[in-house]
Amino acid sequence: MRRLARLILRGVLPGDVRETIVADLDAEFDRRRGSTGWYVRQVAGSIAPALVMRTRRLARAAADAAQDARFGVRLLVRQKTFTIASVLTLALGIGANTCIFSLVDRVLLRPLPYAESSRLLRIWSANPRGIPRGAIAPADFFDWREQSRSFESLAAYTDTDVTLTSAGEPVQLPAAQATANLTATLGVSPMIGRWFAPAETVGEGQPVVVLGERLWRSRFGGVPMIEGRTIVIDGIPRGVVGVMPDAFAFPSRDARLWLPLPDKWRSQTRSARFLAAVGRLAPGVTLDAAAAELRPIARRLESAFPDTNRGYGVTVASLTDAVVGDVRRPLLVLLAASLAMLLIACANVSGLMLARGAARTRELAIRAAVGASASRLLRQQFVEAMLIAVLGGAAAVLAAAWGIGVLRASLTVDVPFLDRVSMDGRVLAGAAAITVICAIVSGLFPAWRASRQPGSEALGGGSRTTRGHVRVRQAIVVTQIAVATALACGALLLARSLERLTSVPAGFAADRTLLADVSLPARRYKPDTRAAFFDRALDRLRAMPDMQAAGAGGPLPLSGQEGLLRFGVTQDRRTDPERAYVRWATPGYFAAMGIAQRAGRAFSAADRADSVPVAVIDEELARRLFGQEDPVGRRIQLSMNRAVWREVVGVVGAVHQTSLDRPAEPHAYLPETQLASTALTIVARSGGDPASVAAVLRRAVADIDPELALSNVRTLADLAAGSTRPQRQNTLLLGVFATAAVLLTLIGVYGVIAQIVAQSARELGVRLALGASGRSIVALTVRRALVMALIGVAAGSLVAAVAAPALRSMLYGIGPRDPLTFGLVIAILLASAAVAAYVPARRILRLDVLATLRVE
Amino acid sequence: MSPRGYLGDLEEIVLLAVARCEPEAYGMRIRQEIEDRSGRSVAIGAVYAVLERLEDKHYIRRVEPPQGTNRDPRARRFFGITPAGKTAVEETAALRDRLWSGLRLRRGGKTS
């Protein structure tokens, strides 16, 4: 009982008097050998006074803080230059970090917008040629679904393009075909109506369609009575059964409508792989367990269908990983870079506060002398740092709101969920946290430094104490230079990598060329009418005065559309096939694309459906298939139709299909007249304005077939630039951070040299009076800065050498420890540090020797 | 001290107890003194809370412990009354005297 009472007493008493009172009470209890009842009454009676004591302490602390804040505000108002410089520096750092944090938070930290998204997986066919994430054959998918037990549900889908003709102008739209269980798998509900029923995917599939919210609003006015309405897609009337909310965005944000994925695809050959699959794990099943269950199923399919499935395995990853995996590394690198910049910004403010602290030495010493405790002085300094950080943070939030808008506008395509990045509560909380960190990082050191001022010395007015300040500032500047060096190395590595990447010849000439996709509905267009359509449309283009070449073909290199996957190609004198992309081309395609003709001829009007089957191959396939031999006149066979041997009539230059950072892949081109394609891209190379070419093309297509839609009208240059977009974005952002970091560092160098010059004015004055030349003293001062810079760049290069391999996956054609890059950064930083030091050091030359000496 | 320095009920009692106990004025001793003189039991926490308030008002101050007592800093805090404290008690007593003067009340009325 007594022990419990003592415990309670200890709990309620404020810390500074706790031991005294408890000891006092215990001593009295022992002395009078008192009763436990007395003890308990003493404790009970002490509870209320103890709380009163605590309240008094809180009130006192609040009053102190308010006083500190008032004092701090007065000081900040008085020292406007210092305040503005510090606030702007922190605003820059906090603002940049808030922007990047808003991205990181939305893309990496939050779960996907699907119910219990941690249970969602993506599943791929693992290709025997080392492509672990390949498309799946419908038959394989249905077998996996039936034979596995790990999934609550397993859904499949595939991208497609459709033409909508019944609502206004014909328009080509990105769409998807999906199984009936896709929405249940993802845990998403339609906003209107329903998703497909399983019965609607049986056999050919029923003529139904689910609209996306955006299409529903833009083409159908957002009317709620949309269910049951019939719309015409690819010439087929389909009944609308539901509308999916915009947030669904599956398989991508582009999908405007969804069609049922017909079960009859199951009867297609297993070599046609074009499905993607997403699964929801059954409760309690792990990703590894699901993968372990699927693997033997894939092996059974391998032995059952060796012709099509030999070597094909299965790859499983979380849906989160599949969606954001590609951007994780770049985002983390940007986050690290923005934090490094923040560190430098804080260091600058720290330096400014130290310089001010040196000037305030006297004031602080007086306050200490009249009884302000060290902790009180420390708190005073810290409150000032907090005030600056809060002002900086407020400015930063405004800047970040603008910056997030800029990021959203400029990054659009490559970052998932970018359109949902916004300045919300979480981002504000993040900004607040960054602000507090800033206050601590930039304020605590100067505060500690200032609070241990040796009072008497400072009052004596000597300059010795300020020496310490300078030394601390020098250390801070060295750190800044090191961080800036590391950051600049990273940024320059990315820039040089980008330069190498963009100088890779793409294999085509991107200038002054217009592209437009056109898709001819298979129901109305037979092979001969297709050729006639392209002839007429291209002739209209060729009649334009500036037109140099026009053709159609595809899927285009670097377009991101892989189209049909690669096929085996063999030649007449060997049996083992080479894998090559098969592409379509009409006459004029190679000339319009600027793909070089290396040997033989391009396709011509003479290559018709009933003439000799022909093919053009690129130099990459020619090298692999024929080595040194001349391919022109030889024959090749494609695994997609083995009955036909095609004569190679020409060899063209190689192009990069997937991206510039991978080697050019082998290609075989077929004339569109001899093998029909569902969709082609019209390519028009003209000396004139692309907009007028587009107008002529639109008119021509409308004249030939009013129900057709052109889509994706763009230039070849846009397409080529799009392929390096992520790299350019990363380089730009990292470059901005590095530039800001270097500039802030140079300001730091300038500041510390200016302080040295100002504070050693007397010493320098004596030297000048004794006959030292001003120039030699300037040189000496600049050399001090260079010594700091040398230590800084050495440390920074070390850091960069250790950290840069993290960038490896983002680099092309350059090592993460490229010596030239490092050398360049070191040279730039040393040179600019020398300049930043020289400017304030020159003041020595203007020093009035007599005046400085007279001050004493 | 200033006119606002009139002492509260318990403040006056504790301040007088400090003066009576000096130089042995520490928490429990003061508490005991009050109990002995007034017959009123006071909780030790209340004594300390009042001591703190009096110290803030500069009516008492911490003094060195008398020779030969335990120097453990954790242990007893000894207090002494300051000149300002003396003035405050005197003024409070004087105020009471002024209020009493000429007043005839039945003994046992509500006074302290």
Side-chain angles (χ1 to χ4, degrees):
Chain A
M1 191 66 189
R2 193 162 75 92
R3 285 173 61 182
L4 177 70
R6 192 200 276 120
L7 210 67
I8 292 171
L9 186 60
R10 277 177 178 280
V12 292
L13 285 171
D16 55 331
V17 291
R18 185 179 300 146
E19 295 309 322
T20 313
I21 293 179
V22 171
D24 210 358
L25 184 61
D26 284 348
E28 180 71 4
F29 179 80
D30 291 344
R31 193 182 64 77
R32 55 155 77 187
R33 290 181 202 84
S35 68
T36 305
W38 175 83
Y39 195 93
V40 170
R41 276 197 303 281
Q42 281 293 319
V43 169
S46 298
I47 290 176
L51 294 180
V52 169
M53 283 191 263
R54 275 186 183 269
T55 314
R56 284 167 59 78
R57 279 162 178 69
L58 270 181
R60 209 181 301 153
D64 283 356
Q67 194 194 357
D68 287 344
R70 266 198 310 279
F71 190 79
V73 168
R74 266 208 305 278
L75 212 63
L76 293 186
V77 170
R78 208 161 59 218
Q79 303 176 323
K80 284 192 189 63
T81 322
F82 164 79
T83 309
I84 292 171
S86 309
V87 167
L88 285 185
T89 306
L90 285 187
L92 180 69
I94 300 173
N97 275 274
T98 305
C99 283
I100 297 299
F101 174 72
S102 71
L103 279 178
V104 170
D105 176 51
R106 174 56 76 183
V107 180
L108 298 185
L109 298 186
R110 294 196 210 199
L112 298 179
Y114 306 117
E116 291 183 67
S117 60
S118 60
R119 281 168 61 199
L120 293 174
L121 303 184
R122 269 293 309 267
I123 300 142
W124 296 268
S125 248
N127 184 306
R129 286 173 307 281
I131 300 169
R133 296 182 172 190
I136 309 166
D140 287 348
F141 167 76
F142 286 110
D143 285 340
W144 291 354
R145 182 155 88 176
E146 279 161 18
Q147 296 177 28
S148 65
R149 295 282 165 273
S150 301
F151 297 95
E152 197 170 281
S153 65
L154 193 56
Y157 54 91
T158 180
D159 291 318
T160 182
D161 279 308
V162 297
T163 307
L164 172 70
T165 43
S166 62
E169 290 278 291
V171 60
Q172 201 178 327
L173 297 169
Q177 287 176 277
T179 53
N181 62 355
L182 179 65
T183 49
T185 304
L186 294 174
V188 183
S189 309
M191 57 190 290
I192 294 176
R194 59 175 178 87
W195 184 253
F196 309 122
E200 285 163 341
T201 60
V202 171
E204 296 269 354
Q206 294 301 303
V208 290
V209 57
V210 170
L211 301 182
E213 183 180 354
R214 258 184 297 170
L215 179 66
W216 171 59
R217 290 195 191 285
S218 65
R219 285 268 162 169
F220 301 97
V223 291
M225 312 295 281
I226 189 74
E227 287 174 81
R229 209 164 131 180
T230 300
I231 64 174
V232 180
I233 292 163
D234 286 342
I236 300 171
R238 287 177 176 268
V240 176
V241 297
V243 178
M244 292 305 289
D246 207 25
F248 180 47
F250 201 87
S252 73
R253 283 202 51 75
D254 294 335
R256 292 291 189 276
L257 58 86
W258 295 267
L259 307 174
L261 189 155
D263 290 350
K264 67 146 193 186
W265 282 356
R266 189 169 189 173
S267 57
Q268 290 182 1
T269 168
R270 289 174 193 259
S271 64
R273 296 182 165 86
F274 55 91
L275 291 188
V278 59
R280 175 174 292 274
L281 285 172
V285 178
T286 64
L287 185 152
D288 291 335
E293 191 200 10
L294 284 174
R295 255 178 250 123
I297 298 176
R299 270 201 298 278
R300 279 203 295 280
L301 293 176
E302 264 188 86
S303 46
F305 309 99
D307 282 354
T308 53
N309 282 36
R310 186 180 297 129
Y312 277 88
V314 57
T315 304
V316 178
S318 74
L319 184 62
T320 310
D321 188 40
V323 172
V324 304
D326 286 346
V327 296
R328 182 173 289 134
R329 174 63 55 102
L331 271 183
L332 291 180
V333 166
L334 285 177
L335 185 65
S338 64
L339 283 174
M341 193 189 89
L342 183 68
L343 183 67
I344 291 177
C346 286
N348 256 15
V349 173
S350 218
L352 282 173
M353 293 183 78
L354 277 174
R356 201 183 54 151
R360 281 172 67 190
T361 307
R362 236 167 227 273
E363 173 212 320
L364 292 171
I366 291 169
R367 293 190 63 188
V370 298
S373 67
S375 69
R376 185 72 204 277
L377 286 181
L378 187 138
R379 201 171 54 205
Q380 163 71 39
Q381 294 275 313
F382 186 66
V383 165
E384 285 175 40
M386 197 69 212
L387 278 173
I388 292 170
V390 165
L391 286 175
V397 166
L398 294 180
W402 171 79
I404 289 173
V406 171
L407 282 180
R408 281 179 56 160
S410 59
L411 299 185
T412 41
V413 282
D414 311 300
V415 182
F417 311 118
L418 186 71
D419 53 310
R420 296 200 209 166
V421 172
S422 63
M423 178 68 86
D424 57 10
R426 285 171 64 116
V427 175
L428 280 176
I434 298 168
T435 302
V436 171
I437 294 169
C438 270
I440 293 170
V441 171
S442 62
L444 216 49
F445 194 56
W448 169 77
R449 179 82 214 166
S451 67
R452 56 187 285 276
Q453 283 301 327
S456 54
E457 235 179 296
L459 282 176
S463 63
R464 285 201 302 138
T465 50
T466 59
R467 277 283 157 76
H469 279 288
V470 169
R471 214 168 297 129
V472 174
R473 277 197 83 181
Q474 281 176 325
I476 291 178
V477 166
V478 167
T479 315
Q480 281 184 306
I481 294 172
V483 176
T485 304
L487 201 48
C489 283
L492 196 60
L493 277 174
L494 281 195
R496 282 173 39 91
S497 152
L498 179 66
E499 186 203 337
R500 303 223 166 158
L501 189 60
T502 47
S503 63
V504 170
F508 53 84
D511 56 319
R512 291 176 292 114
T513 303
L514 184 88
L515 308 174
D517 293 347
V518 62
S519 162
L520 306 177
R523 270 176 72 257
R524 295 193 289 115
Y525 282 88
K526 300 303 166 212
D528 51 331
T529 49
R530 299 171 64 87
F533 169 84
F534 284 114
D535 282 348
R536 288 179 61 189
L538 293 174
D539 281 345
R540 287 276 287 271
L541 287 177
R542 289 178 188 131
M544 289 182 71
D546 287 330
M547 190 58 58
Q548 290 158 357
L556 292 199
L558 299 182
S559 62
Q561 308 166 301
E562 297 220 358
L564 286 172
L565 279 171
R566 294 181 281 183
F567 290 93
V569 184
T570 48
Q571 53 126 313
D572 40 10
R573 290 177 205 163
R574 58 182 257 205
T575 50
D576 51 319
E578 288 290 337
R579 309 296 298 188
Y581 285 105
V582 174
R583 261 64 188 126
W584 284 265
T586 67
Y589 173 75
F590 298 122
M593 284 291 290
I595 296 174
Q597 191 78 39
R598 302 281 190 226
R601 64 170 176 92
F603 296 127
S604 75
D607 299 313
R608 292 186 313 275
D610 52 358
S611 63
V612 181
V614 293
V616 167
I617 62 176
D618 72 356
E619 52 197 354
E620 191 56 36
L621 184 57
R623 188 180 60 74
R624 297 199 189 182
L625 215 46
F626 294 96
Q628 298 298 314
E629 301 169 48
D630 180 8
V632 178
R634 299 281 294 279
R635 294 194 306 153
I636 60 171
Q637 180 202 49
L638 275 59
S639 62
M640 58 200 278
N641 56 352
R642 289 186 201 278
V644 183
W645 283 93
R646 295 180 174 274
E647 183 184 336
V648 176
V649 293
V651 177
V652 294
V655 295
H656 290 265
Q657 182 59 42
T658 45
S659 70
L660 287 174
D661 57 5
R662 296 203 206 142
E665 306 89 346
H667 287 78
Y669 297 89
L670 306 182
E672 126 74 18
T673 49
Q674 293 181 350
L675 191 73
S677 158
T678 50
L680 289 184
T681 304
I682 291 175
V683 185
R685 175 172 298 269
S686 150
D689 173 27
S692 62
V693 177
V696 168
L697 183 58
R698 269 185 221 284
R699 252 194 326 275
V701 168
D703 288 350
I704 301 166
D705 183 346
E707 291 202 357
L708 277 188
L710 283 181
S711 67
N712 243 340
V713 179
R714 63 220 191 270
T715 66
L716 189 51
D718 289 342
L719 178 131
S723 78
T724 55
R725 230 180 121 110
Q727 287 91 339
R728 277 183 293 133
Q729 286 168 1
N730 296 338
T731 307
L732 182 69
L733 283 173
L734 204 58
V736 167
F737 290 150
T739 309
V742 169
L743 287 178
L744 287 172
T745 301
L746 294 179
I747 293 172
V749 173
Y750 174 96
V752 73
I753 295 297
Q755 194 189 348
I756 290 173
V757 170
Q759 284 170 5
S760 45
R762 181 177 48 160
E763 175 200 330
L764 297 174
V766 172
R767 287 209 202 181
L768 287 172
L770 291 177
S773 90
R775 296 209 167 278
S776 71
I777 296 178
V778 171
L780 211 67
T781 311
V782 172
R783 210 164 69 200
R784 278 176 84 168
L786 276 178
V787 170
M788 289 189 290
L790 265 176
I791 302 171
V793 294
S797 308
L798 271 177
V799 171
V802 172
L807 292 175
R808 198 188 297 273
S809 65
M810 299 167 66
L811 296 179
Y812 171 80
I814 188 165
R817 291 177 183 149
D818 179 59
L820 184 58
T821 305
F822 278 49
L824 222 56
V825 167
I826 291 170
I828 291 170
L829 273 168
L830 286 180
S832 48
V835 174
Y838 176 70
V839 175
R842 242 180 17 174
R843 285 187 205 146
I844 296 165
L845 298 179
R846 297 199 303 269
L847 221 54
D848 182 345
V849 177
L850 287 177
T852 51
L853 292 179
R854 214 175 294 130
V855 169
E856 291 304 307
Chain B
M1 266 317 254
S2 62
R4 71 183 169 92
Y6 289 124
L7 294 166
D9 196 14
L10 195 55
E11 283 180 336
E12 186 183 4
I13 295 174
V14 172
L15 193 51
L16 288 169
V18 168
R20 291 181 68 89
C21 296
E22 269 187 285
E24 284 280 328
Y26 65 91
M28 193 48 89
R29 176 86 181 76
I30 296 166
R31 195 204 71 82
Q32 195 60 51
E33 180 72 19
I34 295 170
E35 198 170 297
D36 292 349
R37 296 283 149 192
S38 70
R40 208 169 116 175
S41 177
V42 189
I44 182 69
V47 173
Y48 271 93
V50 174
L51 285 173
E52 207 168 275
R53 205 150 67 224
L54 291 173
E55 196 183 1
D56 275 0
K57 290 183 175 175
H58 302 287
Y59 291 160
I60 58 173
R61 59 184 160 79
R62 298 275 286 277
V63 294
E64 289 286 304
Q67 293 297 318
T69 34
N70 185 3
R71 286 275 179 157
D72 180 359
R74 212 187 53 157
R76 297 168 184 173
R77 297 179 182 184
F78 291 88
F79 294 94
I81 190 162
T82 63
K86 279 193 186 106
T87 317
V89 203
E90 279 159 12
E91 276 185 8
T92 306
L95 171 70
R96 186 165 301 146
D97 288 348
R98 282 200 299 279
L99 288 172
W100 270 112
S101 71
L103 206 61
R104 253 174 241 291
L105 290 181
R106 207 155 38 84
R107 263 307 191 208
K110 231 183 166 209
T111 62
S112 52

